[in-house]
């Protein structure tokens, strides 16, 4: 299936979850936020949230400041 990942086309196997995508991108355990079709996906839902053809996914790295 094809999704939009940070504005670019990206190919994934059907049924890929947010967690599997983050594993593929080597981002598991990092401080990131995932937005799926303009909604934030809580970390607790990454494993249960399956991606679908045409989904728009934004992965944003959290940056501390002060």
């Amino acid at each position: 299936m094809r999704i939009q990942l940070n504005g670019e086309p990206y190919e994934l196997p059907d049924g890929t979850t947010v967690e599997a995508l983050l594993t593929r991108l080597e981002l598991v355990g990092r401080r990131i936020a995932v937005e799926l079709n303009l909604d934030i996906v809580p970390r607790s839902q990454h494993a249960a949230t399956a991606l679908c053809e045409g989904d728009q996914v934004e992965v944003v790295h959290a940056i501390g400041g002060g």
Side-chain angles (χ1 to χ4, degrees):
M1 82 178 143
R2 182 174 282 214
I3 65 168
Q4 289 287 316
L5 176 61
N6 293 342
E8 299 292 328
Y10 195 83
E11 291 285 335
L12 289 170
D14 289 346
T16 298
T17 63
V18 170
E19 182 178 69
L21 172 62
L22 295 177
T23 298
R24 185 181 187 125
L25 297 172
E26 299 180 357
L27 294 175
V28 172
R30 299 220 181 150
R31 293 179 47 116
I32 57 164
V34 178
E35 184 180 281
L36 174 59
N37 299 325
L38 304 178
D39 292 319
I40 297 294
V41 180
R43 186 178 301 269
S44 63
Q45 295 296 310
H46 287 183
T49 303
L51 300 171
C52 299
E53 179 77 26
D55 278 347
Q56 295 182 20
V57 180
E58 295 289 327
V59 178
V60 181
H61 295 270
I63 299 174

